[in-house]
Amino acid sequence: MGIEEYGGGQGPQADVLVVTTNDVPGYRVEQVIGEVFGLTVRSRHLGSQIGAGLKSMIGGELRGLTKTLVQTRNQAMERLVEQARARGANAVLAFRFDVTEAADVGTEVCAYGTAVVLARE
């Protein structure tokens, strides 16, 4: 896997800024729109489960599961941005991920934060 398959986040020309901080230097919050989130649940692929089980016995990175989790997080973040944009936001502050098991059949990933309208100071 190349480096692009291990990461995520936004490109440099994003129309909705997403940050983990509570503020953005050089900008002021003009309007707080409220909480936004993007959610996805992914089931486990039987082949990757078997491979992961075998790999866990000898150690090492579970590359198939890593790639799936990256894709899942990116999808949750895309949905968060879509919701923020649809509500008129140009930024999401205090961005976080929450990952939980979903009834033993998959993994739930929720990207969440506070949608706001930022203006340059």
Side-chain angles (χ1 to χ4, degrees):
M1 287 194 300
I3 190 69
E4 66 279 352
E5 294 179 289
Y6 287 110
Q10 297 184 292
Q13 303 300 322
D15 63 328
V16 176
L17 178 66
V18 178
V19 297
T20 59
T21 57
N22 293 327
D23 53 22
V24 177
Y27 290 83
R28 70 178 183 287
V29 175
E30 241 179 30
Q31 178 186 2
V32 175
I33 294 171
E35 179 190 10
V36 289
F37 67 91
L39 181 68
T40 185
V41 178
R42 293 280 177 104
S43 64
R44 295 186 185 97
H45 182 278
L46 180 60
S48 68
Q49 282 292 93
I50 293 169
L54 294 172
K55 185 73 169 186
S56 68
M57 288 190 278
I58 59 173
E61 181 180 9
L62 305 174
R63 289 179 181 249
L65 292 177
T66 299
K67 185 176 179 180
T68 299
L69 185 54
V70 168
Q71 292 169 342
T72 303
R73 283 179 170 228
N74 287 341
Q75 183 178 46
M77 186 171 179
E78 288 169 10
R79 290 177 177 175
L80 165 105
V81 169
E82 287 172 12
Q83 187 182 40
R85 185 183 300 118
R87 293 181 63 192
N90 66 358
V92 175
L93 304 180
F95 169 73
R96 303 285 188 270
F97 280 114
D98 185 44
V99 180
T100 58
E101 292 297 311
D104 294 329
V105 296
T107 302
E108 172 191 319
V109 175
C110 182
Y112 64 95
T114 303
V116 300
V117 174
L118 292 180
R120 285 197 180 271
E121 290 185 330

